[in-house]
Amino acid sequence: SQTIHQWPATLVQPVGSPLSLECTVEGTSNPNLYWYRQAAGRGLQLLFYSVGIGQISSEVPQNLSASRPQDRQFILSSKKLLLSDSGFYLCAWMEARASGANVLTFGAGSRLTVL
Amino acid sequence: KNQVEQSPQSLIILEGKNCTLQCNYTVSPFSNLRWYKQDTGRGPVSLTIMTFSENTKSNGRYTATLDADTKQSSLHITASQLSDSASYICVVSYTAKAGTALIFGKGTTLSVSS
């Protein structure tokens, strides 16, 4: 069965410090991978998605970047965090097949607080 | 513009009561609609997924309906339990040039009290 792991679960970082959130998927190959951010009281905002190794699409301009060094690994990074980067970050994956019933499966989330 | 609107924004009910959450969408071309349950501080978990031809789908005490003509969906929760307290998110997918695209609603926050 497929599983998705995301870490760290909670992170408190000072403004200007770097960030690295990691996500790995097991039990599948060549998945589509996604990073979402969920601000308090707001819906999920798609930040990045990837359809393959080294292929990253950015949905919104921001202080963050993403990388996919391996097929089932997706990393969210920042060189210098801003206060506005605080939020709940979710990694997700979906099978890369053209089907109307693909399910987006989420990780447990990472709570980032920038002070 | 592709949008997903959920109502109500929040809801408080007593344990044992039923409730219905609404999702209206203007997404085209429609591919499928999903309901997710998100417990506080956790990632969303899929409850149901409905394609164009499906009108009703149940998952235990959760029943989702879809009216593709009016572009409305509802999630009905029967005999609510304290553990049903969560945010419920409606997600509509459509086929874009780059593949499957998803539009998220902002969610309905349900609080079940004893």
Side-chain angles (χ1 to χ4, degrees), chain A residues 48-107:
Chain A
F48 301 94
Y49 70 92
S50 171
V51 298
I53 296 174
Q55 301 179 58
I56 308 295
S57 296
S58 174
E59 288 297 299
V60 292
Q62 60 207 320
N63 184 44
L64 303 169
S65 63
S67 62
R68 185 170 178 174
Q70 300 180 43
D71 181 45
R72 290 167 290 179
Q73 183 184 29
F74 206 23
I75 299 172
L76 184 68
S77 305
S78 174
K79 291 183 179 178
K80 291 185 177 181
L81 283 168
L82 306 172
L83 287 175
S84 57
D85 292 324
S86 294
F88 191 54
Y89 290 83
L90 288 156
C91 179
W93 77 275
M94 185 162 64
E95 286 191 20
R97 55 185 169 93
S99 166
N102 286 348
V103 177
L104 189 67
T105 303
F106 291 88

Side-chain angles (χ1 to χ4, degrees), chain B residues 9-30:
Chain B
Q9 184 176 359
S10 61
L11 184 62
I12 301 174
I13 62 173
L14 291 175
E15 186 179 14
K17 297 296 185 182
N18 303 335
C19 68
T20 300
L21 314 179
Q22 299 290 344
C23 174
N24 297 340
Y25 61 93
T26 57
V27 177
S28 181
F30 175 86

Side-chain angles (χ1 to χ4, degrees), chain B residues 5-7 10 20 22 30-32 34-35 37 44 47 50 52 56 60 66-68 84 90 94-95 102 104 109 111:
Chain B
E5 300 287 341
Q6 289 188 245
S7 62
S10 61
T20 300
Q22 299 290 344
F30 175 86
S31 180
N32 61 63
R34 313 151 197 207
W35 283 95
K37 177 187 178 187
L47 293 175
M50 302 180 73
F52 186 86
T56 303
L66 174 65
D67 186 334
D84 292 330
C90 176
Y94 66 99
T95 303
L102 303 174
F104 286 79
T109 300
S111 298

Side-chain angles (χ1 to χ4, degrees), chain A residues 5-33:
Chain A
H5 302 280
Q6 184 180 341
W7 71 93
T10 306
L11 198 59
V12 180
Q13 292 283 103
V15 170
S17 65
L19 170 74
S20 181
L21 299 179
E22 191 162 342
C23 173
T24 59
V25 180
E26 297 176 358
T28 187
S29 9
N30 195 32
N32 288 343
L33 297 172

